[in-house]
Amino acid sequence: LNTKEQITFAFQKAIEDGIPVVIVEGIMATSTWREFLKTEETILYTILLDTTEEVNFVRLRQRRAEKKDINIEDIILEDKTLENLRRKIKNFSNLFTKVGTESDYRTYFNTDNLSAEEISKKVIKELVLILTK
């Protein structure tokens, strides 16, 4: 889904169909999204999976090395890529702060020393606690 309209439609359709959990990844999100995410029928739970720039750069290099089946040392990130990643980290943090005031629940995880599996387990545990209240 590439536009806010497409995402809004899909979100509303999921709610109408009784889907209990809808995950909206914040890569393209803005604080205006809370207009359709926070309704009388929904619980808004925001999560910030925070990391340092350095860890984020290493993770990107690892993903690219695995995808290309080469050594991580052979992956060089361009300055533009580094700047884009820096901007995304800052934007996610700002969005979390803005939307957080209207969230029913919010969680912050520093993920520097966590694997994807550990992060997933933590998020699921939090979500279960929210849904069983």
Side-chain angles (χ1 to χ4, degrees), residues 12-30:
Q12 290 170 343
K13 179 70 172 138
I15 298 301
E16 290 170 11
D17 289 351
I19 305 297
V21 176
V22 178
I23 298 171
V24 180
E25 206 277 308
I27 193 102
M28 296 171 41
T30 68

Side-chain angles (χ1 to χ4, degrees), residues 44-50 92-93 95-97 99-101 103-111 114 118-130 133:
L44 180 58
Y45 171 40
T46 55
I47 306 169
L48 178 62
L49 303 177
D50 201 12
F92 286 146
S93 181
L95 180 62
F96 179 73
T97 301
V99 175
T101 59
S103 297
D104 299 298
Y105 301 93
R106 60 192 303 223
T107 301
Y108 168 91
F109 292 122
N110 180 300
T111 64
L114 299 174
E118 291 169 320
I119 295 167
S120 178
K121 286 180 181 179
K122 285 181 172 286
V123 170
I124 290 169
K125 181 180 177 182
E126 291 284 324
L127 187 56
V128 167
L129 287 172
I130 290 168
K133 282 188 178 182

Side-chain angles (χ1 to χ4, degrees), residues 86-103:
R86 286 184 185 103
R87 191 170 35 254
K88 284 181 185 179
I89 291 171
K90 182 179 177 183
N91 288 345
F92 286 146
S93 181
N94 290 341
L95 180 62
F96 179 73
T97 301
K98 288 179 186 176
V99 175
T101 59
E102 297 181 31
S103 297

Side-chain angles (χ1 to χ4, degrees), residues 27-116:
I27 193 102
M28 296 171 41
T30 68
S31 59
T32 62
W33 281 34
R34 62 184 175 239
E35 297 168 3
F36 74 90
L37 293 174
K38 180 67 177 141
T39 69
E40 291 181 16
E41 299 87 29
T42 63
I43 295 171
L44 180 58
Y45 171 40
T46 55
I47 306 169
L48 178 62
L49 303 177
D50 201 12
T51 187
T52 63
E53 290 179 2
E54 294 77 21
V55 170
N56 205 19
F57 298 157
V58 168
R59 288 176 177 166
L60 177 59
R61 290 176 61 227
Q62 285 173 330
R63 287 192 304 270
R64 288 185 177 182
E66 288 172 12
K67 185 175 181 180
K68 295 179 179 184
D69 197 26
I70 60 176
N71 291 324
I72 190 171
E73 294 81 21
D74 296 331
I75 300 293
I76 299 171
L77 300 177
E78 296 180 13
D79 289 342
K80 181 175 176 154
T81 301
L82 298 174
E83 183 55 36
N84 287 342
L85 287 174
R86 286 184 185 103
R87 191 170 35 254
K88 284 181 185 179
I89 291 171
K90 182 179 177 183
N91 288 345
F92 286 146
S93 181
N94 290 341
L95 180 62
F96 179 73
T97 301
K98 288 179 186 176
V99 175
T101 59
E102 297 181 31
S103 297
D104 299 298
Y105 301 93
R106 60 192 303 223
T107 301
Y108 168 91
F109 292 122
N110 180 300
T111 64
D112 286 348
N113 298 311
L114 299 174
S115 68

